[in-house]
Structure formats: C-alpha cells, structure tokens
Amino acid sequence: MAEVPATATVARPSVLSLPIKEKAALYAAYMPFLQNGGIFVPTTKPYKIGDEIYLILTLMEDAAKYPIAGKIAWITPAGANNSKAQGIGVHFSADESGRRVKQRIEEILGAALGSSRATHTL
C-alpha cells in the first residue's frame, strides 16, 4: 500500500459567517436567479468559481443560525464597475438546509423580490 505524502491534504470548505441585520441588506445580497437561491458575501479572500464553501447565515432578529453548504457561483473582484462591493456569490446546495434558507429569505423579502432596485450582483 502506498503512503500518502505528508503534503497531501484534503481540502475542506472555507467557513464564512454572514450576519444580515436589515431587510434592505438582505435584498441587496440575495441571488434569486440561482436555481437553489444564493447570497452575496462580502469578502477579500480569493476564491474560484466552483469552490465549496460553508456559510453560517443569520437573518435580522431571527434567532436561528442557518448553516449552508454551497459553491461559489459569482465573484465580484476588487475595483469592479459601478463601485460594487468585492465578494462572492454562494449558490445554496439543493439539500434541506439550502431549501430551508431560500424559503425563509423569500418569506422575509416577500413583494420586494419583484423590485428593480440594484443589488450587489445584478
């Protein structure tokens, strides 16, 4: 049996925390155009499309913390057009936790989802 070199490590998903304190911030960060929903996370850490990430999301006064596994689907680099915030878009996984947080966000946003106000992504 071959030995695994000491330098070989299993890449673990990055863990980020995102507290959202107001409805306007949630609207600006939510990415409803992704199949399972997603959220923009401001960060200066370098990521690549497809990187796996683990996100702990808190929504306003909601006492629950939403642990979400997802993948990077969007990257806004530093110095992007229109002074957009630097960060990543996390596409929620299709599992129960992803479905639950997508449903909760859409409950909170309600009619605001149809708004044409600018967001962090589009």
Side-chain angles (χ1 to χ4, degrees):
M1 182 164 21
E3 286 189 38
V4 176
T7 57
T9 57
V10 176
R12 291 192 4 214
S14 211
V15 178
L16 290 174
S17 177
L18 180 63
I20 296 194
K21 308 227 186 287
E22 56 193 37
K23 191 172 177 178
L26 180 59
Y27 173 83
Y30 184 54
M31 301 170 73
F33 53 85
L34 294 176
Q35 182 177 353
N36 304 320
I39 198 128
F40 179 82
V41 181
T43 182
T44 56
K45 287 185 182 176
Y47 289 98
K48 295 189 294 296
I49 298 288
D51 282 356
E52 292 188 4
I53 195 142
Y54 193 75
L55 180 65
I56 308 295
L57 180 65
T58 51
L59 300 171
M60 290 150 324
E61 292 85 36
D62 198 332
K65 288 188 185 303
Y66 296 90
I68 307 150
K71 290 191 178 200
I72 307 299
W74 182 283
I75 297 174
T76 303
N81 289 344
N82 302 324
S83 302
K84 295 275 189 196
Q86 179 179 0
I88 55 172
V90 178
H91 187 187
F92 301 151
S93 62
D95 65 9
E96 180 60 32
S97 66
R99 284 192 301 273
R100 193 175 85 232
V101 76
K102 178 180 194 261
Q103 180 181 10
R104 181 66 184 122
I105 289 170
E106 291 181 355
E107 283 172 5
I108 292 168
L109 291 177
L113 282 172
S115 172
S116 61
R117 286 181 303 177
T119 67
H120 289 303
T121 52
L122 294 178

